[in-house]
Amino acid sequence: MVSERRIARSPIKPVPPVKMMHGWEVSARRSSRALRITDATPLAKTLVRAPADGGAAQLFDVPLGHAARNETGVLVSTAAPGEWWLIGAPQADPSKAIEIESVERPELVSLLDLTHERAAVRLTGGTAHKLLEKVCAINLSEQVTPNGAALRSSVARVVTDIVRDDSNGERSYLLHFERSYGQYLFDALLDAGREFSVDVDGFVPPGI
Amino acid sequence: MRSTATRAKSMRLGPQPGEVIDREQQFTFTWNDKRYSAYSGDTIVSALSAAGERIFSRSFKYHRPRGVLTASYLDPNCILQVGDEPNVRGAHRRVTPGLAVRSQNTWPSLRFDVKAANQSIARFLPAGFYYKTFIKPQRLWPAYESVLRRFAAGGTVSAAARHGYFDKRYVHPDVIVAGGGPAGMAAALAAAELGAQVVLVEEEHELGGHLKWGDHEELQILDALRAEVDAASNVEVMLDSVVTGRYDGNWVSVLQRHLPHAVERLVKARAKSLVVAAGLIERPYVFEGNDIPGVMLSTAVRRLINLYAVKPGERAVVFTANSEGDAAVRDLQRAGVEVARVVDARRGNHIMRARGGRGLHSVDCDDGQRVRCDLLVTAVGWTAPTSLLNMAGDRPIYNQSAARFFPSELPDDVLATGGIVGDGTLDQLIDHGRATGRVAVRRAAVVADALCAATPQCREPEKAPGALVSVHESLPELPIDEHPALFRAATHGIVDYSEDVTSKDLFGAVEEGYDSIELVKRYTTATMGPAQGKLETVNVAAVVAEATDCPIEEIGTTVWRSPYSPVTLGALAGRTFEPVRFSPMQPWHERHGASPLVAGQWIRPDHYGDAAAEARNVRTNVGLIDVTPLGKFDLRGPDVPHLLNLLYVNKWSKLEVGAVRYGVMCAEDGVVFDDGVTGRLGEDHYVMTATSSGADAVWEWIENWLQTERPDWRVHATPVTSAYASINVAGPKSRELLLRVAEGIDLSPHTFPYMRVRSARIADIDDCFMWRIGFTGELSYEIHVPAAYGMFVWETLMETGEDLGVRPFGVEAQRILRLEKGHLIVGQDTDGLTKAYAAGLSWAIKLDKDDFAGKPELVWQSTREDYFRLVGLQPLDESLVPAEGSQIIDDDGSIAGRITSSRMSPALDRSICLGQVAPHLSAAGTTVTVKLPDGSRMPATVTTQHAHFDPEGARLRG
């Protein structure tokens, strides 16, 4: 009886209609507007910490400030030295896609499942960077933050990892940040995006 | 000719080639409660002028009637109140349907203003009079203030005004062009052609600069330039916007006005190159009567006629020294204005004074002729608005033959083009603009390459789409035309229209010893008005030069500082981002009537209606409190014990797997910094907790030590505060409740004793952990579940424990319960001077450790006795709850301590406290005197220990 009602919830209240997806309560709303915002919190998120220039770094082969997908579709990003975020589909274990055991000891490697520690939001559309320009001081031009750029900055005064992860030829950014700020930051992004008619688009798996 | 201040006759002309009004859209608005009509595109002043109005304001000090002077944003005589918005630039703000416009600072009306009586005592009100008056007697200062307030200029601010939406934005263009005239547009286009991202900022509602009121050929060129700009996808045009400042590193602020979604937006731009193409501002002429309604600049007349189809008068005298004045003559004649006389300064002719009251009625020329007229047009020269260049470090140089200032030396990332650097034909100006745009791109490319090299995310320049193309380009010279030096006639007149400062005032200031332009400015307030010197700086310099018998180039100008034009506080504040943090159970708390407590960025439930009842329920049954904000850190690595030993005063090397220990953290001065419990979950895996308010500081503290002092230690400390929903289940029935939901864990007391941690599956949720600890003094467990399931687990506990009397309890009840148990709160029962021994924590301090943060100070403290102590206190009057912060005073009345925590105890049905007291008052049984905020005094007794309830701890160890 208990497990039937077991619901994983995002810190961001889902916009109706609501449905269950992989045990998560998500918005089933679909939008075809030019600029869309999606609560991507159900994504699985693993943090790997290891020396910045050690075996783990060679294993991931993603240079600092960049993000790339590996052969299994897991998005590997590194916005700070010695930290790699592995982001995968909900309920998956992204770390399984990486042979972390192959890293030689005694290099200290820590794997933390921080799926629940982070909220995540995706902004997609031609004006996604214009929305972000209102809440983030980073240079979002093609030259400085092209597709595949990963960085950490302040977004509406919340420390946020920003990954430029274009989707189907559309400019797209995946933001992830400490979960407790989830509703606040989502609301701040909606407010900033009002000028560009941003619309909420529900989470569609795999979402990454 | 009798001049009338207003006319019944419309002054609207037929269609003009370059007009900006839309005659298909007509609507009404009010001016001082009287209805007027306007076309879309009209400014407030153009619409009123078309209706025959000539007076729009009263001057600052003398309340002289004032009319159109420049018909632009800078017009000092057209500052009006629009609804609840004061100080609106009436010659720039466009009319919208239903707008309610009023004059400012007039009483009882604009037409008849009592304060104009100031003119009769003008000799007592010269510039700087307030430095000599309103000083004594001091007791009359309140009276002086109330009088002066009535004469303060400016509009009114309503406390009920609705807050508008003010926005912010960050941009990083390659080139910013400040000024959308022909040279500015050319620069923007040239830069865009080379791949630059360009922002073109224009103060007016349309691009074009002086071309907008030009002849047919100029209008055609304007149309072509505008079409090119429209087609350039990498040029972002910001109309009705102004570059307000240029700061180090080409950080540039731009104020955008009247956006569809926002009142204003402050754009913070980091430009690789800044091109200043601000054009020229026409300068007024100083002479007697130069502020009488009907005296206008030539550009004002040309704007009114060509842009707004408004006839500025019926019979005009034109005083001209340049081609703009000549063009104004042609425009006037075309508009049907009788040009009674053209006084040409180039032929040595001058005007002496204007005559009139509410309106101009005649002009005296230097040859003795008095000409009847209702319009006097002056065209005596230009001022280069070099403010932005000055902010970049330039000091302008005066050119005598041109009678104006020019920029001299600019940094690499700032260029200037157009009228601000020279004259020439329109083609020459456009060519110069294009060349400047290309040079701007060349310089921007250098900056872009350097930025790219320093940024790991950056794509290599040659691979970036739309990369900048750097070309070799040099700037052509623009010719500089000669111009008569015309600043002041043989009579005195207004120099600063906004501040009512006359040339006589300036002479007076110099006579009093204020003989530099900086001193004159500050003494007279000349150039300190809304125009910020753009209309009057050069005239001030010229008059001071005349008064001091020095050349203008020696007098110089004052220093322009940002903002270039006034900025609203709303724009500076913009969007106020104040992050708020919520627990996963927040929706439940709200639904059940929790009173919110703002705890830093967190919103927590303070109570659910009756904190005392909540506390009693914890003592009797079982309560749940949401402690998610508790700081939590995941510590991994073989050197974690070393870190714990360093950060805490107590010992950690022998902490077993499954054990929990309370730790006290001190700063290097021995002051208690934070506290919490740390549990060992595995061989090299620990979880540390910190106070919710101290969590961020503790993380910085940890990383500071690891990164700077001990980078050799193999430790990863990761904040996981938000990863877990944390719930404290407390009360005699807490074990019974958890037995119903926990799996894979033996909760019996001997298997899971006090101060232990276990991993568990709770309510079908894996990856939880639970420790048996408590802050309340009852049997209690703190469970940490993956945050997404927090609400689910909380609701499950509430449902499952209904028959056990489970109730939520908030922060207030928790404070009562912990105080009954004598548990201190860092930052409440300790302060910035409380070292660990003073907090009664000697039992935790292990001075035999090799080293730890704060050890030297604590070693020193351990040898002394002269520090305040934290003690338990109980007022003799059990019903009295002294306010926290109440002082404890000694026999001689000196302060000997304070109450740090104080509550009524539901368990004991009496008041209880913690407090810091002087050592000689700290012995158990001592009676101290507490001074309450109302000055009364009450006795209280020092207790044997901090705990007032169950001091042996039998309840929590059960």
Side-chain angles (χ1 to χ4, degrees):
Chain A
M1 282 298 285
V2 168
S3 60
E4 285 172 7
R5 294 180 292 112
R6 189 175 74 176
I7 301 172
R9 292 183 173 91
S10 161
I12 301 163
K13 190 173 176 190
V15 174
V18 176
K19 69 175 183 185
M20 293 298 296
M21 186 253 354
H22 294 304
W24 285 82
E25 184 182 71
V26 299
S27 172
R29 179 187 170 89
R30 295 318 315 273
S31 172
S32 57
R33 281 215 205 149
L35 180 61
R36 305 174 299 286
I37 181 170
T38 299
D39 177 6
T41 297
L43 291 173
K45 311 166 206 78
T46 298
L47 174 65
V48 179
R49 297 190 65 177
D53 54 357
Q58 290 176 356
L59 187 68
F60 291 120
D61 196 24
V62 175
L64 178 64
H66 290 82
R69 275 187 177 64
N70 67 7
E71 58 276 7
T72 65
V74 168
L75 182 68
V76 181
S77 72
T78 169
E83 291 183 21
W84 291 264
W85 282 94
L86 313 181
I87 302 179
Q91 306 293 1
D93 180 358
S95 65
K96 282 190 178 150
I98 310 288
E99 292 177 359
I100 207 73
E101 298 77 19
S102 67
V103 175
E104 285 181 13
R105 300 298 190 259
E107 180 174 300
L108 177 62
V109 179
S110 298
L111 270 78
L112 292 92
D113 181 357
L114 294 184
T115 296
H116 294 267
E117 200 269 340
R118 311 293 278 179
V121 169
R122 183 179 281 278
L123 289 167
T124 304
T127 51
H129 62 297
K130 289 202 173 294
L131 184 162
L132 279 177
E133 279 175 356
K134 295 174 65 173
V135 291
C136 179
I138 291 294
N139 186 341
L140 297 170
S141 67
E142 273 300 331
Q143 186 184 22
V144 179
T145 48
N147 188 26
L151 58 115
R152 183 168 298 161
S153 185
S154 166
V155 176
R157 291 189 64 202
V158 173
V159 175
T160 302
D161 277 34
I162 304 170
V163 180
R164 169 110 182 248
D165 182 40
D166 290 356
S167 170
N168 297 324
E170 273 191 296
R171 200 186 269 244
S172 186
Y173 296 89
L174 181 67
L175 282 61
H176 63 92
F177 45 93
E178 194 174 333
R179 182 199 159 94
S180 59
Y181 294 105
Q183 188 67 62
Y184 156 80
L185 192 50
F186 192 79
D187 291 343
L189 292 169
L190 272 181
D191 178 71
R194 230 177 290 283
E195 182 184 349
F196 311 105
S197 301
V198 68
D199 197 18
V200 175
D201 196 20
F203 184 87
V204 175
I208 192 69
Chain B
M1 172 183 181
R2 179 172 174 271
S3 171
T4 55
T6 62
R7 310 160 201 270
K9 170 183 156 184
S10 170
M11 302 300 280
R12 185 75 74 181
L13 297 169
Q16 304 296 309
E19 69 182 25
V20 299
I21 56 174
D22 180 357
R23 296 176 190 256
E24 300 296 316
Q25 294 188 59
Q26 191 174 18
F27 41 80
T28 61
F29 68 105
T30 60
W31 163 241
N32 288 333
D33 297 322
K34 195 175 159 197
R35 197 176 304 277
Y36 291 80
S37 69
Y39 292 118
S40 173
D42 258 323
T43 65
I44 296 171
V45 163
S46 71
L48 292 172
S49 298
E53 294 292 341
R54 297 208 103 194
I55 297 176
F56 302 106
S57 67
R58 292 280 180 156
S59 68
F60 175 42
K61 192 163 55 174
Y62 303 116
H63 287 256
R64 291 166 60 85
R66 291 280 178 84
V68 171
L69 179 68
T70 74
S72 69
Y73 182 86
L74 294 175
D75 202 315
N77 301 333
C78 299
I79 298 181
L80 315 170
Q81 178 98 17
V82 175
D84 60 10
E85 184 184 356
N87 306 327
V88 173
R89 299 334 190 230
H92 175 82
R93 176 71 62 89
R94 284 193 160 153
V95 187
T96 52
L99 210 61
V101 187
R102 307 192 68 80
S103 52
Q104 295 187 160
N105 197 29
T106 57
W107 187 81
S109 69
L110 175 64
R111 180 168 172 76
F112 178 71
D113 183 9
V114 164
K115 295 177 199 173
N118 282 355
Q119 291 177 69
S120 61
I121 54 167
R123 62 192 295 257
F124 300 109
L125 303 174
F129 75 93
Y130 36 78
Y131 294 116
K132 303 162 187 144
T133 54
F134 301 106
I135 298 173
K136 289 182 178 177
Q138 192 171 338
R139 68 177 185 279
L140 290 181
W141 282 6
Y144 296 152
E145 184 189 338
S146 70
V147 168
L148 290 171
R149 272 185 188 279
R150 289 174 209 275
F151 287 85
T156 54
V157 176
S158 165
R162 194 176 58 86
H163 292 292
Y165 185 100
F166 290 84
D167 204 4
K168 256 198 185 76
R169 184 180 162 209
Y170 300 88
V171 297
H172 301 258
D174 296 311
V175 179
I176 290 182
V177 178
M185 284 194 281
L189 288 167
E193 282 163 12
L194 294 176
Q197 295 297 317
V198 182
V199 171
L200 175 58
V201 183
E202 168 53 47
E203 189 172 56
E204 292 292 337
H205 302 284
E206 311 85 17
L207 294 172
H210 66 278
L211 293 185
K212 291 187 297 183
W213 52 85
D215 58 30
H216 175 70
E217 187 187 341
E218 287 171 327
L219 287 176
Q220 280 192 318
I221 292 172
L222 172 58
D223 284 344
L225 283 170
R226 280 179 178 167
E228 275 192 76
V229 170
D230 280 344
S233 60
N234 48 340
V235 176
E236 179 179 356
V237 178
M238 296 184 183
L239 297 174
D240 196 7
S241 305
V242 62
V243 176
T244 61
R246 184 265 178 199
Y247 305 87
D248 286 350
N250 254 10
W251 193 97
V252 173
S253 55
V254 179
L255 183 67
Q256 278 186 289
R257 304 187 190 105
H258 305 116
L259 297 163
H261 76 287
V263 176
E264 288 176 341
R265 174 153 67 199
L266 189 65
V267 179
K268 300 183 176 184
R270 181 75 71 177
K272 298 178 189 70
S273 286
L274 170 65
V275 175
V276 177
L280 292 170
I281 295 173
E282 189 169 27
R283 195 169 59 238
Y285 193 47
V286 180
F287 55 94
E288 185 181 330
N290 65 339
D291 69 331
I292 295 173
V295 179
M296 299 183 195
L297 307 186
S298 67
T299 46
V301 160
R302 300 197 71 195
R303 282 190 175 98
L304 285 172
I305 293 172
N306 293 289
L307 300 184
Y308 305 109
V310 172
K311 194 176 178 187
E314 298 289 359
R315 194 167 194 264
V317 170
V318 179
F319 178 44
T320 176
N322 54 50
S323 57
E324 189 70 20
D326 303 338
V329 170
R330 292 191 291 276
D331 282 348
L332 286 166
Q333 289 168 335
R334 183 167 55 76
V337 177
E338 181 190 351
V339 180
R341 181 166 173 187
V342 176
V343 181
D344 197 328
R346 291 161 293 190
R347 296 204 177 102
N349 303 128
H350 290 272
I351 59 170
M352 294 293 290
R353 65 179 57 78
R355 292 180 180 274
R358 295 185 203 280
L360 180 68
H361 61 62
S362 61
V363 170
D364 291 349
C365 302
D366 66 337
D367 59 6
Q369 187 189 14
R370 180 172 295 177
V371 184
R372 290 182 305 106
C373 60
D374 67 345
L375 176 66
L376 168 59
V377 181
T378 66
V380 300
W382 310 99
T383 293
T386 58
S387 308
L388 292 176
L389 305 177
N390 303 147
M391 294 176 205
D394 179 51
R395 285 302 290 233
I397 295 176
Y398 185 71
N399 182 307
Q400 279 199 351
S401 70
R404 72 178 195 258
F405 284 85
F406 288 84
S408 60
E409 208 170 311
L410 299 174
D412 276 350
D413 53 3
V414 180
L415 298 111
T417 187
I420 206 170
V421 295
D423 302 302
T425 63
L426 181 56
D427 283 342
Q428 285 176 312
L429 289 171
I430 290 173
D431 283 346
H432 190 273
R434 286 197 187 276
T436 303
R438 286 190 285 268
V439 170
V441 172
R442 188 181 77 219
R443 296 183 186 180
V446 172
V447 176
D449 287 349
L451 283 174
C452 205
T455 311
Q457 293 85 356
C458 192
R459 192 196 298 271
E460 289 166 29
E462 59 270 16
K463 294 180 186 169
L468 295 178
V469 177
S470 182
V471 298
H472 178 71
E473 184 74 46
S474 56
L475 288 172
E477 291 281 329
L478 277 176
I480 295 179
D481 296 340
E482 285 187 5
H483 194 289
L486 294 166
F487 306 105
R488 185 177 81 89
T491 53
H492 284 293
I494 300 288
V495 176
D496 188 326
Y497 287 77
S498 302
E499 302 291 295
D500 252 352
V501 176
T502 66
S503 50
K504 210 168 169 183
D505 289 327
L506 299 181
F507 271 86
V510 170
E511 248 181 69
E512 290 190 58
Y514 300 97
D515 55 1
S516 77
I517 194 158
E518 295 284 359
L519 289 175
V520 164
K521 165 189 166 183
R522 284 156 179 79
Y523 185 64
T524 67
T525 76
T527 78
M528 291 170 73
Q532 289 287 286
K534 296 177 192 61
L535 294 176
E536 56 273 342
T537 286
V538 177
N539 284 345
V540 170
V543 172
V544 171
E546 196 186 330
T548 57
D549 200 23
C550 285
I552 291 182
E553 47 267 46
E554 271 186 39
I555 297 297
T557 61
T558 53
V559 177
W560 275 279
R561 298 175 178 86
S562 63
Y564 176 85
S565 57
V567 180
T568 61
L569 291 175
L572 292 174
R575 311 299 309 131
T576 46
F577 295 124
E578 293 182 11
V580 184
R581 303 173 76 173
F582 296 109
S583 138
M585 288 79 81
Q586 177 63 20
W588 192 96
H589 303 318
E590 287 175 12
R591 286 199 304 270
H592 290 80
S595 177
L597 171 72
V598 178
Q601 292 181 334
W602 291 93
I603 303 296
R604 306 187 64 181
D606 194 30
H607 60 82
Y608 298 84
D610 186 343
E614 293 163 26
R616 273 192 288 272
N617 189 66
V618 171
R619 293 267 181 247
T620 313
N621 297 313
V622 54
L624 303 185
I625 181 171
D626 181 355
V627 292
T628 298
L630 198 68
K632 299 176 273 292
F633 301 92
D634 183 287
L635 304 178
R636 301 194 186 200
D639 293 321
V640 171
H642 296 315
L643 178 69
L644 296 174
N645 278 326
L646 174 66
L647 298 179
Y648 289 111
V649 301
N650 38 345
K651 289 180 177 177
W652 297 87
S653 300
K654 295 180 181 172
L655 187 73
E656 302 159 354
V657 175
V660 177
R661 186 163 296 162
Y662 171 74
V664 176
M665 204 178 275
C666 290
E668 294 206 80
D669 57 3
V671 171
V672 179
F673 169 33
D674 205 86
D675 69 348
V677 296
T678 297
R680 189 172 182 182
L681 296 179
E683 189 61 34
D684 290 339
H685 186 198
Y686 299 70
V687 173
M688 171 203 278
T689 67
T691 61
S692 54
S693 57
D696 289 343
V698 168
W699 186 35
E700 277 189 42
W701 186 238
I702 293 171
E703 287 297 331
N704 184 48
W705 284 105
L706 288 176
Q707 293 184 32
T708 64
E709 300 293 335
R710 299 314 305 249
D712 55 312
W713 282 354
R714 292 160 66 228
V715 176
H716 289 149
T718 307
V720 291
T721 298
S722 291
Y724 296 96
S726 305
I727 303 168
N728 184 221
V729 184
K733 298 178 185 175
S734 55
R735 182 182 289 123
E736 195 175 341
L737 174 56
L738 285 172
L739 278 170
R740 298 178 183 186
V741 296
E743 298 172 57
I745 180 171
D746 184 351
L747 293 176
S748 57
H750 61 275
T751 312
F752 194 174
Y754 184 60
M755 299 300 275
R756 287 293 186 270
V757 60
R758 299 283 185 268
S759 298
R761 182 179 163 86
I762 299 175
D764 250 10
I765 305 299
D766 293 319
D767 302 322
C768 304
F769 63 94
M770 180 193 306
W771 22 37
R772 193 174 149 195
I773 56 172
F775 199 37
T776 61
E778 293 299 319
L779 171 68
S780 84
Y781 299 82
E782 201 169 271
I783 61 175
H784 303 270
V785 305
Y789 296 107
M791 177 71 92
F792 166 71
V793 171
W794 177 277
E795 288 179 327
T796 301
L797 286 168
M798 290 299 294
E799 280 177 32
T800 309
E802 195 176 345
D803 63 310
L804 299 175
V806 70
R807 296 283 182 275
F809 67 104
V811 174
E812 175 57 18
Q814 185 190 52
R815 286 183 177 240
I816 294 171
L817 292 163
R818 68 92 196 175
L819 183 58
E820 288 176 340
K821 279 300 295 180
H823 291 313
L824 64 87
I825 292 178
V826 173
Q828 165 130 7
D829 302 301
T830 69
D831 57 37
L833 296 176
T834 308
K835 293 189 171 66
Y837 282 104
L841 295 168
S842 57
W843 58 270
I845 303 169
K846 305 302 179 201
L847 293 180
D848 58 340
K849 283 202 300 182
D850 284 342
D851 194 16
F852 59 87
K855 179 178 176 181
E857 281 288 325
L858 291 176
V859 166
W860 178 81
Q861 191 186 32
S862 69
T863 64
R864 303 175 68 92
E865 296 291 328
D866 59 347
Y867 47 87
F868 276 36
R869 315 294 163 92
L870 184 70
V871 299
L873 290 161
Q874 292 186 353
L876 261 57
D877 183 342
E878 298 179 358
S879 67
L880 269 180
V881 182
E884 290 174 346
S886 298
Q887 294 168 355
I888 294 168
I889 56 173
D890 216 336
D891 292 338
D892 62 357
S894 60
I895 297 173
R898 64 182 171 89
I899 299 292
T900 60
S901 292
S902 181
R903 289 292 191 280
M904 177 59 72
S905 163
L908 301 172
D909 200 22
R910 60 149 302 124
S911 52
I912 54 172
C913 309
L914 284 174
Q916 289 194 10
V917 299
H920 69 280
L921 296 176
S922 62
T926 304
T927 300
V928 301
T929 304
V930 180
K931 186 175 178 184
L932 301 177
D934 64 2
S936 62
R937 298 172 185 210
M938 54 160 262
T941 307
V942 176
T943 58
T944 309
Q945 51 221 329
H946 293 169
H948 301 270
F949 176 80
D950 183 30
E952 298 79 23
R955 296 173 73 89
L956 64 89
R957 293 177 199 282

